[in-house]
Amino acid sequence: MGTVIEIDNLVKRYKELIALDHLKLTVEEGEIFGLLGPNGSGKTTAINCILALLYFDKGSVKVFGEEIQPNSYEIKKKIGVVLQNVAVFEELTVQENIDYFCGLYIGDKKLRKQYVEEATVFSGLEDFRKFYPKKLSGGLLRRLNIACGIAHKPKLIIMDEPTVAVDPQSRNRILEGIQELNRKGATVIYTSHYMEEVEQICSRIAILDKGRCVAFGTSEELKGMIKTGEKIHLEAAGLLPFHLEEIKELRHVYKVDYREGMLEIRCSGGKHNLVHILDYFGKREIGFGRVYSELPTLNDVFLEITGKELRDSAE
Amino acid sequence: MFFRLYKYSIFQSVRCKLVLFWNVIFPVVLGTLFQMTFGGYVEEQVIFRRIPVAYASEQEDGAFGQLLKGLEEDSELVKVQTAEYKKARQLLKEGNVEGVFCEEPDTGDVTLIVAEQGVNQTILNSILKQYQRAKATFSNIGRENPAGIQAAAVRLEEERRYLKAGSVTEASMDCLLDGFYSLIAMTCLMGATSGLSAATDFKADATSLAARRAVAGASRMSMLLPDLAAKITMQFLYAAFSICYLSFVLGVELGEHGGLMFLTALVGSALGIMIGFLVGVVGKYSYGVKEGLCIGFMLVSSFFSGLMFQSMARIVEMYAPALNQVNPATLIAKSLYSLNIYDNLGPYFHCMGNMVVLILVLGMASFLLVRRERYAAV
Ligand SMILES: Nc1ncnc2c1ncn2[C@@H]1O[C@H](COP(=O)(O)OP(=O)(O)OP(=O)(O)O)[C@@H](O)[C@H]1O
Ligand SMILES: [Mg+2]
């Protein structure tokens, strides 16, 4: 297993604004690498640097072991790109678009025909071959964008938020498709601000904020980095401040929030947290409604590390 | 790969209805309007109405005065009023005459003063030109070979007859033809907008499509050249179509050198495309602004070649001859015009040469601008 992408101390400024601040990342062969971050965190900028589209101020970007340049066509031939903004020809049909882009990589006519067909099926566009992009719905357009990027069966696939505006069903299909491409040997870089997606398919994740990589690892590792091990929600009316104080004294509990009859208790790792809490409510004879417990999400990771919500800024 | 990309680029152009509309409908409508209004105008105004002129000279029987008198009597082309210089200018100012011919009694030099430019003035000008040519011949022969004077006098007489017979309609038709040539020039230059779109599909910081193409595994030139070739092809077809429409449907006699006319259409289209391409790769203005620039340039260029106002090219020739050497629309129109009126192809190839140089200059400038391959921002 080799290293596919190596980004070292990458600095990119847009005039005053620092979009990438000494970014350091490595992507290993065969993985699905998630780049997670809110709007404006620098995901697209990082990808454009990997593709040698942008000048950058400092640092280096190596792809397949070589510093990539705009004219590194041999390297670029091995990369499949799905850019954030849909990029297709308005005047060409679905099939022609896929053929156009595939043809920029694959010269052999017969092979190309087969690849175009496979990409059409892969993205579920069989019924729309002769459609012009204008006639496609937003989700179908996204799928066409993906098909144009991956038709030539690249070794490295770079996808920048490919599932924006795609309905959940198609989204799942796309995610499954990506996993299948990965099983067939493609390394994938996937950016998104939907943490569920990233959590679902990515083997390793880097969390970006303001151009810096603030956390890095598998989703388990990331969750292990933060204090929260479990979040317990409990519906209870009329709790008094001293109740909250007492709850906070319970084992493992480190943060208590009470808002509009809903109690949120954060516990660090450890077992039987829920039992302890329910015990307390029994002892005090306080009635309660719904109770549920959840494991931390990547959002919690982001929240703890940066002090802000990933989701809020992302929608 | 070239032909596949070329094919798709052609598809792209053909399927863009708006481009098709402007390139096909516009010349047809404008050409038809021309023919309807000016076609009739020429006959009515020029053939059937005498042009009032004033003749100012100290002596009654100057050589040119004789010629004018002859023209008045034989061909009913002009209506001559003899007056002294001041009076003649007054007549011109009041609009009673369309031009004033002044003859120097000693040298026989004649000058023409007109108040405005139009078909009539062009005819007067052409009378003067004919006279000057005849006079030059006459005096040359006289100096070198006194015996030839007789022959030259005969020639002068012939010139006069020629003026009387053919030149009237020809001079006026020339004006109208200029309009049609400018129209063809404009059709070629409409390619500027296509050249512009080739640029926006190419510059990665212009559109996401261009960015997508820039990161693909093919060299940028291998994508650009088929695009440009396709756009030039399409523009050539549009220009060829207007030539055919003008000559076969409207029956305009554009000239005999059909093949060379199409060559002009091809080179002119390439010129139009390259103008648009350069506009497209310069600076970071929005597409709308650049499109406006292209259309504006096309109109101004066509205007100076005489699209709206047929004697414009001659006026420019008088006051800023250098402009006529570089103005794309004038070059295209003039090369067509040269085919029609000159016996040799020298002037034609002069115009074509200028166009090729322009294309090379535009190409070089664009190339220097797109040479960098990374962008500060996309
Ligand atoms: N062309 C540009 N010119 C100036 N600033 C830019 C440009 N593109 C991006 N930026 C800035 O750089 C920062 C990073 O932007 P980038 O597009 O990389 O973020 P992102 O993580 O991809 O966000 P999103 O989730 O919205 O796609 C942002 O603050 C943005 O405003
Ligand atoms: Mg982005």
Side-chain angles (χ1 to χ4, degrees), chain A residues 43-45 84 160-161 191:
Chain A
K43 304 182 294 288
T44 300
T45 305
Q84 181 167 7
D160 197 356
E161 313 212 18
T191 89

Tab-separated table of all heavy atoms in Angstrom, chain A residues 43-45 84 160-161 191, ligand 2:
chain	number	residue	atom	x	y	z
A	43	LYS	N	-12.193	23.159	1.729
A	43	LYS	CA	-12.205	21.834	1.091
A	43	LYS	C	-11.973	21.948	-0.419
A	43	LYS	O	-11.096	21.284	-0.985
A	43	LYS	CB	-13.560	21.135	1.334
A	43	LYS	CG	-13.928	20.995	2.792
A	43	LYS	CD	-15.237	20.258	2.974
A	43	LYS	CE	-16.453	20.989	2.443
A	43	LYS	NZ	-16.853	22.153	3.232
A	44	THR	N	-12.769	22.809	-1.046
A	44	THR	CA	-12.647	22.951	-2.498
A	44	THR	C	-11.277	23.509	-2.876
A	44	THR	O	-10.659	23.065	-3.837
A	44	THR	CB	-13.762	23.877	-3.022
A	44	THR	OG1	-15.014	23.286	-2.685
A	44	THR	CG2	-13.663	24.054	-4.519
A	45	THR	N	-10.802	24.447	-2.079
A	45	THR	CA	-9.481	25.017	-2.355
A	45	THR	C	-8.412	23.936	-2.295
A	45	THR	O	-7.534	23.859	-3.161
A	45	THR	CB	-9.178	26.128	-1.338
A	45	THR	OG1	-10.235	27.085	-1.383
A	45	THR	CG2	-7.870	26.809	-1.653
A	84	GLN	N	-17.363	20.426	-7.491
A	84	GLN	CA	-18.529	20.843	-6.714
A	84	GLN	C	-19.618	21.450	-7.593
A	84	GLN	O	-20.783	21.155	-7.439
A	84	GLN	CB	-18.082	21.856	-5.660
A	84	GLN	CG	-19.211	22.347	-4.786
A	84	GLN	CD	-18.692	23.094	-3.569
A	84	GLN	OE1	-17.509	23.355	-3.428
A	84	GLN	NE2	-19.590	23.438	-2.684
A	160	ASP	N	-16.024	16.375	-4.888
A	160	ASP	CA	-16.282	17.535	-4.051
A	160	ASP	C	-17.789	17.700	-3.890
A	160	ASP	O	-18.471	18.159	-4.793
A	160	ASP	CB	-15.659	18.775	-4.715
A	160	ASP	CG	-15.525	19.927	-3.741
A	160	ASP	OD1	-15.978	19.777	-2.588
A	160	ASP	OD2	-14.982	20.970	-4.132
A	161	GLU	N	-18.267	17.308	-2.757
A	161	GLU	CA	-19.696	17.393	-2.436
A	161	GLU	C	-20.590	16.921	-3.581
A	161	GLU	O	-21.394	17.692	-4.099
A	161	GLU	CB	-20.071	18.832	-2.060
A	161	GLU	CG	-19.083	19.409	-1.068
A	161	GLU	CD	-19.711	20.384	-0.107
A	161	GLU	OE1	-20.942	20.377	0.021
A	161	GLU	OE2	-18.960	21.132	0.534
A	191	THR	N	-15.352	14.915	-0.210
A	191	THR	CA	-15.603	16.036	0.689
A	191	THR	C	-17.096	16.207	0.874
A	191	THR	O	-17.874	15.935	-0.032
A	191	THR	CB	-15.052	17.383	0.176
A	191	THR	OG1	-16.053	17.997	-0.623
A	191	THR	CG2	-13.795	17.214	-0.605
C	2	MG	MG	-16.442	23.597	-1.659
